[in-house]
């Protein structure tokens, strides 16, 4: 039986932290940021973590 390949799009988008949580990027950060108020832009700097409900599926995509 051949090995499962990891999903390359997922590998580029997510990183597994030491405690097992999965880091992700923030949406709406690429361009036309002048429409967003400063508070929203500032909050988007903070690191984000994937929800528990999605974590299992993402780990399968990354690790396999």
């Amino acid at each position: 039986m051949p090995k499962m390949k990891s999903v390359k799009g997922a590998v580029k988008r997510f990183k597994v932290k030491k405690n097992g949580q999965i880091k992700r990027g923030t949406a709406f950060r690429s361009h036309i940021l002048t429409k967003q108020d400063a508070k929203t832009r500032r909050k988007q700097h903070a690191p984000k973590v994937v929800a528990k409900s999605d974590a299992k599926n993402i780990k399968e995509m990354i690790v396999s």
Side-chain angles (χ1 to χ4, degrees):
M1 192 74 191
K3 289 183 181 178
M4 293 291 291
K5 289 187 176 181
S6 54
V7 179
K8 293 303 179 183
V11 171
K12 293 170 190 173
R13 286 176 173 84
F14 302 106
K15 297 278 184 281
V16 180
K17 293 168 63 174
K18 285 185 181 179
N19 63 4
Q21 290 181 322
I22 301 173
K23 282 192 342 182
R24 66 173 176 83
T26 309
F28 311 112
R29 288 274 298 149
S30 57
H31 64 110
I32 317 177
L33 299 175
T34 52
K35 293 178 181 177
Q36 296 178 358
D37 55 327
K39 182 179 177 182
T40 306
R41 281 182 273 154
R42 198 166 49 245
K43 281 188 170 186
Q44 288 174 335
H45 290 303
K48 302 287 187 281
V49 178
V50 170
K52 282 185 180 180
S53 56
D54 299 325
K56 183 182 174 189
N57 293 333
I58 292 172
K59 276 186 182 173
E60 279 183 19
M61 288 193 279
I62 293 174
V63 177
S64 58

